[in-house]
């Protein structure tokens, strides 16, 4: 009962253990024409028979519409491809041990094969009597004619299913270019492929794996597997005998239409197939000029053999997937290079004789965001500390590169001479204009100077940046006002200095807008929430406070976040 082609045809009827009006009518005609108490349209599966058509069947079988094969006479019709006629099942050596005799009252039985267009027997149209029955030739001839008509209906179901599947496969390829063309990450590719094949091929699992270092198969679709299964196959040697590894090593389509074939050809994967309830699979390599860069694998919970058109679709889809994976790899390399450059420019903080400095930086989770956020701190003579927080407008490699130019330029100007922050920013703007460094940026430059009382005088100038926040011990958080236009708008516009005192045990927070602005949170509300949080927070550990702030902001994943937290001694 495990012939793959027959079971595939059975699956394509779309029928199951549920009443179907057409096949119920066939059962009613058999009962009327032959004058029997029970008639069934019985289709035989791997380990059961089910009845899309039934008439006269008693409960609980009438409700269940199926029985195990221990109760099946029809399985003999399928096995022999011949009619089965039984006068008295209780003494007939072919069926006398069958449990249907006692449980279903099957004594007299006549069953005719139901076939598909290729002549494969899918089940039986059968008449059942609860008493011994001498079947006449006229009755058997009528049953044979009804079985032929019933077979025609099954073939029509299969043909309609085939037409629908072919349409779905055509749509799959039409949709693949668009769906995969819009992907930029491997995770997006995996989800897109799963969505594409679900309707056309109806697999229980869709997997993509890539080949690394020529030997290691690395799973990219672990989100579609239980954690313990995904962990088992997250990385393994390509010499193992799995459907994916076979496709990668052979460079060709690997079809395993039954669990027996999985055990013979891919024994290393057999236990996983059994655990997941998979019965068959198909794996196709992802082609590239240097050999397969991985494989696309589909698995089904029933025996399944891809026909020639399905194989062609899968091979074509693998080509689209290869293009998408290659493009995503290039984009990832660019993002990684930019992020590495960006982080490299964020040098370690200097030490200060009194002040505690903490800095944090978190890149955006969004794959297209590589931005121009930066922070800096420079210790100067007489205990003076210069603090910088900035954000170049834009999210790209160009923005990150421009950030590096601005940062270097500003460091040089700060070290060159002792000037107010507003004049340093004006000189920076003019220098950038002279050197042809364009673009817009928000920058906040602040100086902290010690006073004889142990406090620090804060002097700052703000070029369009979120305001600094000052927290006195035991007091509320205060966001310090005073903002001029962004750098790069005009080198002639005036800039202003602002002043405040940072008391002993107080803290000063500088940050970029990613800390307070999210997709569904306006910046004003974000600033208000930050102020409330800082007013309630404990300042016993600036490191922990900074971690909490950056984690909450980074969880939103919409923008880069940089912050500087400076705390004075108590």
């Amino acid at each position: 009962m495990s012939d793959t082609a027959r079971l595939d045809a059975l699956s394509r009827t779309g029928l199951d253990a549920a009443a179907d009006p057409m096949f119920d009518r066939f059962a009613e005609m058999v009962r009327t024409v032959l004058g029997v108490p029970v008639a069934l349209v019985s289709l035989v599966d791997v380990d059961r028979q089910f009845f899309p058509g039934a008439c006269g069947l008693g409960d609980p079988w009438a409700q269940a519409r199926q029985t195990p094969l221990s109760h099946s006479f029809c399985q003999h019709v399928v096995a022999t491809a011949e009619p089965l006629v039984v006068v008295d099942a209780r003494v007939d050596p072919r069926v006398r041990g069958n449990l249907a005799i006692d449980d279903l009252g099957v004594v007299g039985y006549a069953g005719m094969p139901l076939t598909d267009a290729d002549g494969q027997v899918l089940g039986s149209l059968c008449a059942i009597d609860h008493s011994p029955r001498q079947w006449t030739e006229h009755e058997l001839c009528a049953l044979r004619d009804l079985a032929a008509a019933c077979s025609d209906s099954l073939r029509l179901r299969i043909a309609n299913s085939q037409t629908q599947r072919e349409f779905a496969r055509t749509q799959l390829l039409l949709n693949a270019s668009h769906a995969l063309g819009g992907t930029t990450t491997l995770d997006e590719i995996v989800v897109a492929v799963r969505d594409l094949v679900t309707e056309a091929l109806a697999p229980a699992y869709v997997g993509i794996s890539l080949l690394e270092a020529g030997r290691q198969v690395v799973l990219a679709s672990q989100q579609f597997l239980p954690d313990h299964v995904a962990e088992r196959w997250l990385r393994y040697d390509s010499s193992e005998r799995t459907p994916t590894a076979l496709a990668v090593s052979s460079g060709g389509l690997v079809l395993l239409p039954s669990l027996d074939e999985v055990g013979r050809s891919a024994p290393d994967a057999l236990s996983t197939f059994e655990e997941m309830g998979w019965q068959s699979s198909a794996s196709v390599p992802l082609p590239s000029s240097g050999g397969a860069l991985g494989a696309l694998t589909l698995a089904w919970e029933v025996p399944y053999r891809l026909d020639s058109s399905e194989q062609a679709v899968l091979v074509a889809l693998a080509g689209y997937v290869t293009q998408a994976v290659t493009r995503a790899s290039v984009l990832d390399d660019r993002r990684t290079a930019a992020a590495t450059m960006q982080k490299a420019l964020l040098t370690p903080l200097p030490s200060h004789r009194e002040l505690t400095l903490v800095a944090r930086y978190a890149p955006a989770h969004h794959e297209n965001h590589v931005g121009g956020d930066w922070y800096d701190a420079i210790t100067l003579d007489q205990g003076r500390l210069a603090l910088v927080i900035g954000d170049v407008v834009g999210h790209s490699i160009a923005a990150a590169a421009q950030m590096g130019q601005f940062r270097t330029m500003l460091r040089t100007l700060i070290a060159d001479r002792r000037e107010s922050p507003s004049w340093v920013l004006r000189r920076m703007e003019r220098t950038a204009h002279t050197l042809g460094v364009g673009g817009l940026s928000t920058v906040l430059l602040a100086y902290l100077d010690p006073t004889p009382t142990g406090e620090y005088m804060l002097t700052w100038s703000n070029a369009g940046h979120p305001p600094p926040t000052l927290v006195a011990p035991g007091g509320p958080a205060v966001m310090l006002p005073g903002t001029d236009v962004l750098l790069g708008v005009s080198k002639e516009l005036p800039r202003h200095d602002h002043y405040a005192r940072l008391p002993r045990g107080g803290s000063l927070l500088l940050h970029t807008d990613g800390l307070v602005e999210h997709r569904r949170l306006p910046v004003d509300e974000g600033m208000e929430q930050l102020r409330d949080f800082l007013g309630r927070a404990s300042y016993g550990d600036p490191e922990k406070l900074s971690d909490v702030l950056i984690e909450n902001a980074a969880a939103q994943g919409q923008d880069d976040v940089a912050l500087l937290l400076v705390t004075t001694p108590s």
Side-chain angles (χ1 to χ4, degrees):
M1 300 306 166
S2 60
D3 179 71
T4 302
R6 189 189 76 81
L7 293 173
D8 180 54
L10 184 64
S11 173
R12 285 188 281 121
T13 65
L15 298 169
D16 207 335
D20 182 275
M22 177 181 293
F23 294 103
D24 273 347
R25 284 195 293 273
F26 274 108
E28 179 63 36
M29 283 189 286
V30 169
R31 192 168 76 156
T32 300
V33 171
L34 273 66
V36 292
V38 179
L40 302 173
V41 177
S42 175
L43 302 180
V44 180
D45 209 338
V46 176
D47 56 2
R48 61 171 184 148
Q49 63 177 352
F50 58 92
F51 315 128
C55 189
L57 194 64
D59 286 330
W61 313 106
Q63 294 293 323
R65 288 270 178 163
Q66 64 182 343
T67 75
L69 293 184
S70 57
H71 293 66
S72 173
F73 283 27
C74 297
Q75 64 179 316
H76 296 284
V77 178
V78 173
T80 63
E82 296 288 342
L84 177 66
V85 179
V86 176
V87 174
D88 187 344
R90 296 168 298 184
V91 297
D92 191 311
R94 296 172 295 179
V95 294
R96 63 188 175 194
N98 195 291
L99 298 182
I101 297 171
D102 292 331
D103 292 348
L104 278 76
V106 181
V107 179
Y109 173 92
M112 296 294 168
L114 296 175
T115 60
D116 68 0
D118 296 323
Q120 298 176 115
V121 181
L122 307 183
S124 169
L125 179 65
C126 61
I128 295 171
D129 204 323
H130 299 314
S131 302
R133 177 78 173 246
Q134 290 289 344
W135 304 95
T136 68
E137 185 58 34
H138 176 74
E139 289 172 331
L140 296 177
C141 184
L143 184 60
R144 191 178 297 110
D145 290 342
L146 289 171
C150 189
S151 293
D152 287 341
S153 296
L154 286 172
R155 292 167 188 172
L156 182 61
R157 290 292 183 99
I158 294 171
N160 287 340
S161 172
Q162 183 70 16
T163 300
Q164 292 172 359
R165 290 170 71 188
E166 289 175 356
F167 176 77
R169 293 195 293 265
T170 301
Q171 286 297 115
L172 186 158
L173 292 182
L174 289 174
N175 295 335
S177 179
H178 174 74
L180 291 171
T183 58
T184 60
T185 69
L186 193 54
D187 284 345
E188 291 176 356
I189 293 168
V190 170
V191 172
V193 171
R194 182 197 60 179
D195 293 344
L196 284 166
V197 302
T198 295
E199 181 176 356
L201 299 172
Y205 168 72
V206 179
I208 293 178
S209 296
L210 301 179
L211 191 63
E212 289 188 1
R215 296 290 299 176
Q216 292 291 303
V217 177
V218 179
L219 182 66
S221 50
Q222 58 266 33
Q223 65 266 47
F224 301 147
L225 293 170
D227 290 344
H228 69 284
V229 175
E231 184 177 356
R232 187 185 312 161
W233 297 110
L234 198 58
R235 181 182 294 271
Y236 63 95
D237 195 271
S238 59
S239 62
E240 292 198 39
R241 295 177 65 188
T242 71
T244 293
L246 292 173
V248 168
S249 59
S250 69
L253 190 62
V254 175
L255 302 178
L256 304 176
S258 67
L259 198 59
D260 289 342
E261 189 58 42
V262 172
R264 285 191 294 270
S265 301
D268 293 334
L270 181 59
S271 62
T272 296
F273 271 66
E274 292 174 338
E275 179 180 354
M276 297 299 297
W278 301 337
Q279 296 285 319
S280 56
S281 71
S283 296
V284 59
L286 304 179
S288 71
S289 58
L293 58 80
L296 168 63
T297 296
L298 277 59
W300 292 268
E301 292 178 342
V302 295
Y304 192 88
R305 182 185 297 275
L306 271 69
D307 60 31
S308 57
S309 65
E310 289 172 327
Q311 294 176 34
V313 166
L314 199 58
V315 170
L317 179 61
Y320 284 119
V321 173
T322 296
Q323 295 174 14
V325 169
T326 302
R327 183 178 61 253
S329 178
V330 171
L331 291 174
D332 186 62
D333 288 344
R334 290 178 58 190
R335 287 188 292 263
T336 301
T340 300
M341 178 183 69
Q342 189 176 36
K343 290 182 178 180
L345 292 170
L346 303 175
T347 53
L349 294 176
S351 60
H352 191 276
R353 64 190 185 193
E354 288 186 338
L355 300 174
T356 300
L357 281 73
V358 178
R360 293 290 185 269
Y361 171 78
H365 295 172
H366 193 287
E367 296 297 336
N368 292 326
H369 277 56
V370 178
D373 290 27
W374 89 92
Y375 61 81
D376 204 356
I378 305 170
T379 54
L380 302 168
D381 56 355
Q382 298 177 353
R384 178 176 244 207
L385 177 68
L387 301 170
V388 179
I389 193 84
D391 184 359
V392 173
V393 174
H395 297 92
S396 64
I397 295 176
Q402 191 176 67
M403 175 268 283
Q405 291 178 304
F406 281 171
R407 180 180 182 277
T408 301
M409 194 182 304
L410 189 53
R411 285 175 67 88
T412 302
L413 295 174
I414 291 170
D416 177 53
R417 66 187 73 167
R418 189 182 182 98
E419 289 181 324
S420 71
S422 62
W423 277 102
V424 174
L425 292 182
R426 290 188 69 183
R427 282 210 296 145
M428 177 181 173
E429 200 161 28
R430 290 170 180 167
T431 303
H433 179 76
T434 301
L435 297 177
V437 179
L440 301 175
S441 178
T442 68
V443 180
L444 192 151
L445 170 61
Y447 291 115
L448 283 173
D449 292 291
T451 69
T453 63
E455 297 180 320
Y456 276 78
M457 176 59 69
L458 171 65
T459 308
W460 77 95
S461 185
N462 190 342
H465 202 78
T469 303
L470 188 150
V471 183
V478 178
M479 292 180 176
L480 304 175
T483 303
D484 301 319
V485 298
L486 282 69
L487 287 180
V489 173
S490 172
K491 62 184 179 65
E492 302 301 332
L493 292 176
R495 299 198 175 276
H496 304 87
D497 293 314
H498 308 278
Y499 306 91
R501 284 187 175 272
L502 182 59
R504 297 180 64 87
S507 294
L508 175 70
L509 174 66
L510 310 180
H511 61 85
T512 56
D513 57 5
L515 190 69
V516 293
E517 186 176 20
H518 313 311
R519 179 179 298 170
R520 289 174 288 186
L521 183 66
V523 64
D524 290 343
E525 292 184 25
M527 296 291 286
E528 187 69 24
Q529 288 184 10
L530 175 62
R531 185 174 64 184
D532 291 345
F533 174 78
L534 292 174
R536 299 189 307 268
S538 169
Y539 282 83
D541 189 340
E543 295 279 354
K544 288 184 179 179
L545 176 62
S546 298
D547 286 339
V548 171
L549 289 171
I550 208 75
E551 286 168 7
N552 289 341
Q556 303 296 326
Q558 302 302 316
D559 199 357
D560 300 335
V561 184
L563 67 80
L564 269 172
L565 181 64
V566 183
T567 304
T568 62
S570 301

